[in-house]
Amino acid sequence: ATIKASTINEETSNFYYSHCNDGILNVNSYKTITYSNIYNNIDFVFNITPTGIKYDVIIKPDANPNDIQLLYDGVTSLEKISGTEVLIKTPIINYTETIPLSFYSNTKEKVNCEFLLEDNTIKFKVPNYNNTELVIDPVQNWSTFLDYGSTNVNSGRPVFDSKGNMYNASRTQAT
């Protein structure tokens, strides 16, 4: 796959590691990251939005939508709620992933698309794919990275306020 970053964010980040006393400062981040040909003629486009990370799957002509397999590592289980919704259970919180819209990019014609589950892997089923560029537009209704199972993370359990915001403090150690 080829990775392309575009639309630089105004904010920068700083990272501090034990092996780097001065830190790694003013690291740029981007609003859009595209992974081209992550599968043959299939791209993933990740965008930072005000509500979190959003991704689209772009299926180009001569691609096979059945090639797409999204492995969810560390989840307790995946449960299909409907053809377009999956409940993702983790040791910390449950969230859903939905496909609100799938369409051909040239005509914007809506296309039927649903999730298929196999163990901890999500696949996409597109019954009437006509070999035209297709956009699958899933939405994650909650997402973060918290690694409570790692031996390198010392963390208390998250706390939620009355508005549903999560607070967590962690300490990591490198080996």
Side-chain angles (χ1 to χ4, degrees), residues 124-140:
F124 297 102
K125 179 180 178 184
V126 186
N128 298 316
Y129 176 59
N130 72 5
N131 205 34
T132 302
E133 186 170 283
L134 174 69
V135 177
I136 299 176
D137 187 14
V139 171
Q140 285 188 344

Side-chain angles (χ1 to χ4, degrees), residues 81-93:
I81 299 171
S82 68
T84 59
E85 191 169 40
V86 172
L87 176 64
I88 301 162
K89 292 185 176 184
T90 76
I92 300 161
I93 195 166

Side-chain angles (χ1 to χ4, degrees), residues 98-172:
T98 60
I99 301 176
L101 184 62
S102 297
F103 57 91
Y104 292 117
S105 61
N106 61 343
T107 64
K108 306 300 183 213
E109 173 190 350
K110 292 183 182 179
V111 177
N112 182 32
C113 180
E114 63 182 74
F115 289 121
L116 296 176
L117 300 183
E118 190 174 295
D119 298 320
N120 285 349
T121 301
I122 292 179
K123 300 177 180 184
F124 297 102
K125 179 180 178 184
V126 186
N128 298 316
Y129 176 59
N130 72 5
N131 205 34
T132 302
E133 186 170 283
L134 174 69
V135 177
I136 299 176
D137 187 14
V139 171
Q140 285 188 344
N141 294 324
W142 195 85
S143 179
T144 190
F145 172 77
L146 296 170
D147 187 5
Y148 291 105
S150 172
T151 58
N152 292 332
V153 176
N154 180 359
S155 178
R157 291 294 178 198
V159 176
F160 297 88
D161 67 16
S162 61
K163 295 181 181 179
N165 297 309
M166 185 183 86
Y167 300 90
N168 186 65
S170 298
R171 178 175 56 93
T172 64

